[in-house]
Amino acid sequence: MRNFIITVDGKQYEVGVEEVGGAEAPKAVPIATQAPVAAPAPATNANGTKVLSPFPGLIKNVLVQNGTKVKKDQPILVLEAMKMDNDITAPCDGVVTVNVVKGANVESDAVLAVIS
């Protein structure tokens, strides 16, 4: 038998996998995990706070226009990844400049918008 640790929805499970013809495999049991690590603070510079893509995906919708005043945690974009819609929110109050368009594919850490 080989043991593996897998993560599903943020929970870790230790599972044993047996060869074909072996005894019944044990059921997955949650194991102790560390608390989630907070995302790093958004990058800031003289031009404002950059809103970076947390993962690669498709810009499904742009919810604000350039020059719109936004509040912290206000959704500004919808990023689709692995068939799931993810709201990308403003990390701070300010005026937004959007750097992407609906339908664009983006990579991790791409600058989606800047808030100044």
Side-chain angles (χ1 to χ4, degrees):
M1 178 186 313
R2 293 184 63 189
N3 291 323
F4 296 91
I5 295 176
I6 60 171
T7 303
V8 177
D9 292 331
K11 291 185 180 180
Q12 287 190 337
Y13 297 89
E14 184 173 349
V15 294
V17 179
E18 293 190 25
E19 294 182 31
V20 175
E24 184 177 325
K27 303 230 186 283
V29 178
I31 60 172
T33 61
Q34 294 180 336
V37 177
T44 59
N45 62 24
N47 297 327
T49 302
K50 294 179 182 178
V51 180
L52 304 178
S53 177
F55 35 75
L58 171 75
I59 301 298
K60 191 163 183 184
N61 203 359
V62 178
L63 304 174
V64 296
Q65 295 178 348
N66 285 336
T68 302
K69 289 184 182 180
V70 295
K71 296 282 188 185
K72 182 177 187 206
D73 298 326
Q74 177 182 339
I76 56 174
L77 300 161
V78 178
L79 178 65
E80 180 185 291
M82 297 179 60
K83 304 290 183 191
M84 292 182 61
D85 290 350
N86 302 279
D87 285 341
I88 304 300
T89 59
C92 60
D93 293 353
V95 177
V96 68
T97 302
V98 180
N99 292 347
V100 293
V101 295
K102 182 177 178 178
N105 286 304
V106 296
E107 295 298 323
S108 293
D109 297 325
V111 178
L112 304 176
V114 176
I115 300 177
S116 51

